[in-house]
Amino acid sequence: AERVAEHFEGICLGEVRRYELPNLGALNFILDSALAGGGTSSLRVDAQGKAMGEALLLMEIDA
């Protein structure tokens, strides 16, 4: 969560929470205050976070 918050610095203005989905082998990240009020009220082009998901795939991490 800390690394994701760093990656989206300036976009995510709140807390980043990480949820593990072991049955899927996946992680779900919730970025508070990242869409300027949510999908229905945001003026951002990426109202549902799809481009942010793509940007997350570009994030480099040490493994």
Side-chain angles (χ1 to χ4, degrees), residues 31-60:
L31 284 67
D32 289 336
S33 301
L35 291 177
T40 58
S41 62
S42 177
L43 296 176
R44 292 191 180 185
V45 175
D46 186 23
Q48 302 299 326
K50 292 174 183 67
M52 290 177 68
E54 185 68 25
L56 186 61
L57 291 174
L58 298 173
M59 182 179 78
E60 294 184 15

Side-chain angles (χ1 to χ4, degrees), residues 21-41:
L21 305 166
N23 291 340
L24 298 176
L27 300 171
N28 183 33
F29 292 94
I30 305 297
L31 284 67
D32 289 336
S33 301
L35 291 177
T40 58
S41 62

